[in-house]
Each structure stands twice: as structure tokens, then as C-alpha cells.
Amino acid sequence: MSTPALSRRAGVRLAALALPLALLGACAGGSSAPAASTTPSATAEPTATKTEAAAVTPRLVLTYDGGLVVLDATTLETVETIEADGFLRVNPAGDGRHVLVSTEGGFQVLDAGTWAQPHGDHDHYWTSQPVLTDTVFEADEPGHAVVHGDTLALFADGTGEVTVVDPAAVADGEDAVVREYTTPSAHHGVAVVRTDDTMVVSDGTEDERTSVRLLGADGTEIAATDQCPGVHGEAVAAGDVVTVGCQDGIVVVQGRTVTKVQAPDAYGRIGNQAGHEASPYVLGDYKTDKDAELERPTRVTITDTAAGTLRVVDLPSSYTFRSLARGDAGEALVLGTDGQIHVIDPATATLTRSIPVIDAWEEPTEWQEARPAIHVLDGTAYVTDPSTDRVLAVDVETGEVWNEVTLDVTPNEITSAPGRVAEHDHAAHAGETAEEHAEHAGETAEEHAEHDHEHEHGTEG
């Protein structure tokens, strides 16, 4: 294993070792009154006791039929189980601490109970018991929630309303809302706010979605295309580039232009994508049978957003929409139904290796049914195995399954609360190659691990 990956994982594991050194304190949550339908409603949260830790304490948030489970990302021990009704979906809120839970009423804020507090030239790390707060960003049929840069864009499929939130204030009620927009017609859509305040947003109706628009901060249209049938899914690549999937290719929004990259097949649906903000390459799924009720694809796409090209990669197994992820160095990862993580070099669009993780499995017929999923955090790919109720932690670089746990419930969706906001500046490093970014990120992680080690031994206040 190379030094960067080792230092990242060492930094994560250090959090568990630090817990006996914790100091007790207290903090209270805030409250805010509800406003319009697109602004959050909130009531006072229960007082939570906070505990100081010697290092960051990342946590995982998983859904199950009946609620949520919060795990320590290092030990995989259950921190809290929260009962909740309905089919739940989870997305990161962008501040490192909170997670958005899609419920019947909208996007509800879960406090995962892990955060960093700046203190001079270093941070102090805190934990508390996770709690599903009363803060809700109201949405009729809550859909995509996309974090990019300093914004979080929430899309309500039932109304076409887009609510743009400051992630740093996501728990503060209506004060978190910085911008609102409503599409001409309600549809299953998506919005992404770029660092220059322009917005990429889908357009269509409940029956047909064909358009992707680039809007200025004042809502005026800068560029658009209506050549994207079946608009679905999004990703962000290096240079503030945004991609949106179509049934016959992919749309690339770069600068002030909107460009369609055609698929090699007449019907080549790219409905789900995984980007890496320091890489020009976007990983996408790929389906070519328009009439199939349940197609089990065995190919994925790699889109080079800088060159405007799309390549198809054959895999040794099928996969599902929860199978796509990216490694810290920009690797494209696909969790196959053969139980392996297939690793693709996006620069060459070639399969480089496969990592055995779980037993082979079959895709369920209904998309809401639990199936294996993959989520990457700090060099580790967390894989769920609903057939055995397990969660496994896999070192992406070495392929080692370095931890696993069997839950009391069957896991479905998975996301994380890293405990701090990403340290690197995406805008400053947007032009780097994946390799250059990996080297930069590795140095930062190593330096931070050293800092955490000093903190644990009391050399800093």
C-alpha cells in the first residue's frame, strides 16, 4: 500500500482509539419558524451532550425498512438506531455533519453527531448522539439533492421547485435558503449550482423530459439543449463541469456552453453517473434495451468531459444503479453482481482489476428493494450486503476487507457524514489530473494524520 492511502485509513482508525480520552461538554440545537413551502420548518431540538475526540470521527448513515442506522465508520459499531416510517433515502448535506433524509414531507435533516470546530491553526473534533431533527426542507416528492462547492440544491419532483441551501447553515432553518427557482413544469428533475452561481437544471414534464438549461444567477437562460431525451442523473467533474444523462448519450455543461455527446448506440441510456471533482472523467451506467422491463447491464461509460468523447467499457458481470462510485484518486468503481468491485482506469477506459468482496447476487425486480450498494469515504469502499445484513469496509488500493459487521436490520441505502468539510479547494485544483490530485490529497492526509497524532498526545490546545 502506498503512503497516501495508508495515512488516510490510519487517520480514520485513530478516531476509535481516541474515544477513551474524550472530554464531556454540552451544546444545544437551534430553532426557527417555518416560512414558505420551499423553506424549512424547524422546532427546538433536544439538548445533546457533546464529547471531544482526539481525531475526526466519520460516521455512516444507512436506511432500512423502518428507519435509519448510524455506524461509526471505523469500528462499524452501531451508534444509534432511529425509527422512521416510509421509504427513506439519504444524501450528504455538504457540511460533514448532517445528512438529508428524503421523507414524505420533504428533506429532513439528520444530525449524525460528528463535526470539527476550527481553533486557530487546527481543529477540535466533537461527537454527540445522532438525532433526526425537526428541520425539514419541505418538498412535494423530494428527489435529487446535489452538493457542489458551497451550495446544496434540492429538487422537488412534484412541483419542480429548486431550493438552494448553504450547507454550512443547513441546520439553521429558513436562514439556510439562499435561492429558489421553479421549473416551468413539474417533473423528475435535477439542479446543480456551480461555483460561479450559474445553475444547471433539467426541464420537462411528468411524461417527457428532454431539456437541460444553463441559467445565470438571475435566472436568465445562458445556453440550453432540448436534445436529451429521458433526462436523468448528474455528476460534477473537474473545472466546474456538470454532466446530465440522456437516453442516447450525455450532456456536458462546460463554461457557458451546453454540448451533447452522443452514445454509440441509437438507444444508449446513461441514467446514473459518478463524478470526481478533480477528474475530467465521468463514470456512467449504460443500457441499450429500450423495451426491457429490467435490463441487467454489463457495460459502463467513461465520458471525457475535456475532450467531449464517450467510451464504453465491458465488465465481467452486471450491476445496478447503486453500484457506481469513485475512488480518492479518481478510479471508477463498479460493484458487480458477481460480488466484486471492478476497478477501471478512466484515462484509458480499461478494467485494471477486480476485488472480491461478497457472494454473487441478483438484482431485485423493484428498485426500492434492498440490493448491495457501494459508498466511498477516505480511501475505503463501504459495501452493503442485504442478503447477510452485513456492511464491509474495503481498502480500495489494496483490496483488503479490513472490517465488517452484521447488523440487526437489512441495510438499503448508504451515505456518510465525514465529520468535517473536505479540506482541498476544488476550485484551486480543478485543473489537476487524477494522478496529480491523488498525490496532493495523499500529502494533505499524511500531514493531517501527523497533526491528529500530536493532538492525541496533548501537544496542542
Side-chain angles (χ1 to χ4, degrees):
M1 183 192 304
S2 70
T3 301
L6 177 60
S7 62
R8 279 193 299 273
R9 205 177 75 190
V12 171
R13 288 178 171 171
L14 183 60
L17 301 176
L19 293 178
L21 304 176
L23 303 174
L24 293 178
C27 69
S31 64
S32 175
S37 61
T38 56
T39 57
S41 60
T43 57
E45 299 171 16
T47 300
T49 300
K50 66 179 182 179
T51 302
E52 187 170 8
V56 66
T57 307
R59 288 176 170 175
L60 304 175
V61 178
L62 300 97
T63 68
Y64 70 93
D65 185 9
L68 304 155
V69 176
V70 181
L71 305 180
D72 183 299
T74 304
T75 65
L76 296 186
E77 294 178 353
T78 296
V79 181
E80 188 70 87
T81 299
I82 301 170
E83 294 184 357
D85 296 329
F87 177 69
L88 306 176
R89 310 203 71 184
V90 286
N91 289 282
D95 68 340
R97 173 174 179 171
H98 295 90
V99 165
L100 296 178
V101 182
S102 297
T103 65
E104 184 176 347
F107 300 91
Q108 189 165 359
V109 178
L110 168 73
D111 182 353
T114 179
W115 69 98
Q117 182 176 355
H119 184 210
D121 62 351
H122 62 281
D123 291 338
H124 283 251
Y125 303 108
W126 300 89
T127 63
S128 64
Q129 283 302 109
V131 59
L132 187 59
T133 73
D134 292 329
T135 299
V136 178
F137 293 86
E138 296 178 7
D140 183 359
E141 300 178 25
H144 287 243
V146 182
V147 174
H148 174 50
D150 296 328
T151 59
L152 165 64
L154 310 177
F155 197 98
D157 291 347
T159 59
E161 293 175 318
V162 178
T163 304
V164 182
V165 176
D166 176 5
V170 72
D172 292 345
E174 63 182 21
D175 291 340
V177 178
V178 297
R179 182 175 172 186
E180 295 173 311
Y181 172 79
T182 302
T183 59
S185 299
H187 64 284
H188 177 53
V190 65
V192 183
V193 177
R194 303 196 301 176
T195 56
D196 62 359
D197 287 333
T198 58
M199 178 189 293
V200 179
V201 63
S202 60
D203 203 354
T205 66
E206 292 183 0
D207 300 321
E208 187 178 30
R209 307 185 303 274
T210 61
S211 300
V212 177
R213 305 168 67 203
L214 174 63
L215 307 179
D218 60 356
T220 59
E221 183 175 297
I222 298 172
T225 179
D226 60 359
Q227 302 301 308
C228 186
V231 169
H232 190 273
E234 86 297 323
V236 177
D240 221 19
V241 174
V242 175
T243 62
V244 179
C246 316
Q247 290 178 348
D248 58 356
I250 195 168
V251 165
V252 178
V253 183
Q254 186 169 30
R256 300 176 74 83
T257 63
V258 178
T259 305
K260 172 70 173 296
V261 180
Q262 203 69 27
D265 297 277
Y267 182 86
R269 183 179 187 272
I270 303 173
N272 299 279
Q273 301 133 65
H276 187 290
E277 294 198 2
S279 169
Y281 305 104
V282 169
L283 168 68
D285 57 6
Y286 194 60
K287 296 184 176 182
T288 57
D289 189 345
K290 184 177 182 179
D291 299 320
E293 291 186 8
L294 179 62
E295 181 180 353
R296 293 181 169 86
T298 58
R299 295 188 291 169
V300 294
T301 56
I302 299 292
T303 300
D304 184 339
T305 61
T309 58
L310 185 154
R311 288 177 287 183
V312 177
V313 182
D314 290 311
L315 296 176
S317 76
S318 63
Y319 61 93
T320 76
F321 68 96
R322 291 198 184 126
S323 294
L324 307 182
R326 299 297 292 272
D328 284 359
E331 315 98 313
L333 308 176
V334 184
L335 177 62
T337 56
D338 59 357
Q340 301 188 77
I341 298 175
H342 301 293
V343 184
I344 299 168
D345 178 359
T348 60
T350 56
L351 177 65
T352 59
R353 59 195 172 99
S354 297
I355 305 170
V357 181
I358 60 177
D359 291 337
W361 50 281
E362 291 187 2
E363 179 181 3
T365 56
E366 298 295 331
W367 72 268
Q368 295 96 336
E369 293 183 63
R371 74 210 46 222
I374 182 171
H375 177 76
V376 176
L377 174 65
D378 289 335
T380 292
Y382 293 94
V383 174
T384 64
D385 185 7
S387 67
T388 60
D389 296 338
R390 291 185 301 160
V391 178
L392 302 93
V394 184
D395 187 298
V396 173
E397 187 171 351
T398 68
E400 173 197 2
V401 178
W402 59 269
N403 202 358
E404 66 174 84
V405 68
T406 301
L407 305 176
D408 294 329
V409 297
T410 300
N412 196 344
E413 291 203 357
I414 179 172
T415 191
S416 62
R420 62 184 173 206
V421 179
E423 293 179 355
H424 59 273
D425 183 344
H426 291 312
H429 303 288
E432 293 181 339
T433 64
E435 292 77 11
E436 289 170 341
H437 178 75
E439 181 179 359
H440 171 84
E443 290 173 352
T444 301
E446 184 175 9
E447 291 167 359
H448 189 81
E450 181 179 352
H451 167 80
D452 283 346
H453 179 77
E454 293 172 352
H455 189 167
E456 182 184 19
H457 288 82
T459 59
E460 297 183 348

